[in-house]
Amino acid sequence: KNEVEQSPQNLTAQEGEFITINCSYSVGISALHWLQQHPGGGIVSLFMLSSGKKKHGRLIATINIQEKHSSLHITASHPRDSAVYICAVRLGADKLIFGTGTRLQVFP
Amino acid sequence: GAGVSQTPSNKVTEKGKYVELRCDPISGHTALYWYRQSLGQGPEFLIYFQGTGAADDSGLPNDRFFAVRPEGSVSTLKIQRTERGDSAVYLCASSLGGEQFFGPGTRLTVL
């Protein structure tokens, strides 16, 4: 069993829809990261959080430490949001353990 | 200011050859990480430097892999006797201890 599980693996949506991507983990963590990766592109950090909720534009990330669960929400989705979204947990001060990612496609 | 840069962007080599992959972190970032991403998978941790020293190299798959950061800035990932299974995107990231900033990666193909 992977230490970080994401769902769904693939997600398609119509422009304007509200999107939720889930991440569950099984280890003790110091922080959780949500990352975005475009095809052929590099990885961009969206959020780093250790408790509660963070919002940036149309993106919202929440984490429940007791339940070892985090969600990434995208409001009013747009085709440019199409990418792979990766959840990663930080163990201690150093390495990240990554989920396998959720491939999102938003159609106009 | 420049972000994390990696060179080369693409490297094609033959099985058994030696390769070096370079990472230039963001200036002033003390922590540097190497990850490997195979097709369709999330990145996997390889090694983490704090300054010049390797603080955690538990992700290096075997002794063909080695990384250095002699002056606490640029890092080089070295792979000896490459195998076809080493083909992947090798990602570098740097940080000041919190958010990690990723480079564009080096796509390594071993024929």
Side-chain angles (χ1 to χ4, degrees):
Chain A
K1 188 180 190 300
N2 293 334
E3 292 163 305
V4 182
E5 301 261 357
Q6 284 186 239
S7 64
Q9 289 186 327
N10 292 282
L11 182 57
T12 58
Q14 288 295 125
E15 183 173 357
E17 285 185 5
F18 179 83
I19 288 162
T20 296
I21 300 170
N22 295 299
C23 175
S24 297
Y25 54 92
S26 58
V27 294
I29 69 171
S30 57
L32 183 143
H33 298 247
W34 281 103
L35 309 163
Q36 181 191 57
Q37 187 172 33
H38 284 279
I43 292 177
V44 174
S45 179
L46 298 175
F47 295 103
M48 182 181 72
L49 63 166
S50 54
S51 66
K53 175 180 174 178
K54 287 190 176 180
K55 184 176 189 292
H56 181 69
R58 295 181 294 105
L59 302 179
I60 303 166
T62 64
I63 187 168
N64 184 318
I65 296 294
Q66 286 73 32
E67 294 186 3
K68 290 187 164 62
H69 181 269
S70 176
S71 293
L72 176 68
H73 306 285
I74 305 175
T75 62
S77 60
H78 190 277
R80 66 174 174 266
D81 297 326
S82 298
V84 176
Y85 292 84
I86 304 172
C87 170
V89 298
R90 183 149 59 102
L91 307 184
D94 58 348
K95 63 188 176 188
L96 296 180
I97 306 296
F98 295 79
T100 54
T102 294
R103 184 174 300 277
L104 170 66
Q105 289 184 294
V106 182
F107 293 99
Chain B
V4 178
S5 63
Q6 292 186 246
T7 54
S9 55
N10 280 283
K11 176 70 177 178
V12 180
T13 190
E14 292 179 343
K15 180 176 178 295
K17 298 290 188 184
Y18 168 83
V19 296
E20 290 189 352
L21 312 179
R22 176 186 167 109
C23 173
D24 280 86
I26 292 173
S27 179
H29 279 194
T30 54
L32 185 146
Y33 308 81
W34 283 100
Y35 300 95
R36 179 169 72 172
Q37 187 174 25
S38 300
L39 192 63
Q41 302 295 315
E44 295 176 296
F45 170 79
L46 294 176
I47 186 169
Y48 153 61
F49 287 90
Q50 184 62 249
T52 60
D56 184 346
D57 65 356
S58 61
L60 295 178
N62 52 59
D63 62 6
R64 295 186 298 104
F65 289 74
F66 189 70
V68 295
R69 195 186 186 199
E71 296 178 359
S73 178
V74 171
S75 177
T76 304
L77 178 66
K78 308 180 182 195
I79 310 174
Q80 298 177 317
R81 305 182 305 280
T82 52
E83 300 177 356
R84 293 194 180 88
D86 299 334
S87 297
V89 175
Y90 288 80
L91 295 162
C92 175
S94 70
S95 83
L96 279 171
E99 182 181 2
Q100 293 186 20
F101 296 84
F102 287 81
T106 293
R107 182 175 299 277
L108 175 66
T109 303
V110 182
L111 301 177

